[in-house]
Amino acid sequence: MTILDKITADKIKEVALRKSLIPVSQLEQSVLFERATASLAKAVSTGSGIIAEHKRRSPSKSVINNSLSVQDVASGYEQAGVSGMSVLTDGKYFGGSLDDLLLARAAAQFPLLRKEFIVDEYQILEAKAYGADAILLIAATLSRKQIEQFSTFAKSLGLDVLCESHNEKELQKSIMPSVDMLGINNRNLKTFEVSLETSKELIKQIPDEFVKVSESGISSVEAIKELKPHGFQGFLIGENFMKTDNPGESAATFIKQLD
């Protein structure tokens, strides 16, 4: 059982509990549910391409940064010129929550991605109700039918969809019109090793109509300069900024060096 299998099994139980506590009608009555969303795919393809993350901890790295306020991180990232922000909302393994999404939304206007292990349409309604503009789907945990179901539902709510793959098999089942961005995760789920070669190899199979995003292990400007000629427009950066005292400042310095 991989860590992803474990997280997914826990997530199914967690979502069942949340569904029993907060009905769909309550989510649909949220003030933010009526909000017009901003396209993360468009922001990535026309801006710096950086999707900067808010992440307190992870199963592979334990604590990254517990001391910063989400609002400060969000406004710092926005001022730095990132294209969007990924907000981890998983509590058990990453120390996040839906409230983090709400606080980020209150502090910034740029597109927000709800980074979560999505196993149910209910979580997509939550994303919309808490101010997200986009959702993440993880191909490793979903069937092609589920990817199609969840991405189509997200699009009906005005949300963009980033679907991430770790290998060729996962990528092939993710290619469909209801997905906006195809992400290649450079981390091997079995060994946790990271290699940019994964992105370079798999991008050859991504059709041009998709926004192409590389994820995991991108901690240097050199890595982005290495990946861009292969056709990547987006770069999800998780721990690099969050392990500093001022993620916004760190992102601003990073983006200046990209020019």
Side-chain angles (χ1 to χ4, degrees), residues 139 163-167 170-172 174 182-186 202:
C163 191
E164 80 166 35
S165 305
H166 298 82
N167 57 42
E170 291 173 14
L171 178 60
Q172 287 306 323
S174 308
L182 285 169
I184 304 300
N185 195 317
N186 300 305
L202 291 178

Side-chain angles (χ1 to χ4, degrees), residues 103-256:
L103 293 167
R105 179 78 288 150
Q109 297 301 310
F110 63 175
L112 298 178
L113 169 77
R114 180 185 188 190
K115 193 169 184 188
E116 183 53 272
F117 301 86
I118 290 185
V119 294
D120 194 298
E121 282 187 1
Y122 182 84
Q123 294 162 287
I124 303 170
L125 287 167
E126 284 180 328
K128 176 72 170 157
Y130 280 79
D133 299 280
I135 59 155
L136 173 76
L137 296 177
I138 302 171
T141 66
L142 303 168
S143 66
R144 181 173 175 85
K145 195 178 171 192
Q146 285 175 307
I147 295 170
E148 194 168 9
Q149 178 197 341
F150 294 156
S151 57
T152 304
F153 185 59
K155 296 310 292 173
S156 76
L157 296 174
L159 299 170
D160 274 4
V161 178
L162 167 61
C163 191
E164 80 166 35
S165 305
H166 298 82
N167 57 42
E168 186 180 343
K169 191 180 166 193
E170 291 173 14
L171 178 60
Q172 287 306 323
K173 68 177 175 184
S174 308
I175 297 172
M176 59 184 74
S178 46
V179 168
D180 305 278
M181 298 166 279
L182 285 169
I184 304 300
N185 195 317
N186 300 305
R187 190 183 301 281
N188 181 312
L189 287 176
K190 292 185 175 74
T191 63
F192 274 107
E193 282 172 12
V194 171
S195 169
L196 297 184
E197 295 308 311
T198 307
S199 276
K200 291 180 198 171
E201 273 309 304
L202 291 178
I203 194 170
K204 296 169 188 170
Q205 297 173 41
I206 301 180
D208 286 343
E209 63 264 29
F210 295 94
V211 173
K212 305 166 187 77
V213 181
S214 185
E215 310 170 26
S216 289
I218 301 166
S219 55
S220 67
V221 170
E222 287 70 38
I224 290 179
K225 287 182 175 171
E226 197 182 315
L227 289 166
K228 267 192 173 171
H230 290 269
F232 283 100
Q233 298 139 291
F235 307 90
L236 195 136
I237 300 182
E239 291 159 18
N240 199 46
F241 305 141
M242 279 303 292
K243 62 188 183 191
T244 67
D245 293 333
N246 190 329
E249 210 171 83
S250 170
T253 306
F254 190 95
I255 289 167
K256 279 194 189 97

Side-chain angles (χ1 to χ4, degrees), residues 88-108:
L88 263 148
T89 59
D90 173 77
K92 184 171 180 182
Y93 295 90
F94 291 88
S97 74
L98 274 164
D99 283 346
D100 289 340
L101 196 54
L102 212 51
L103 293 167
R105 179 78 288 150

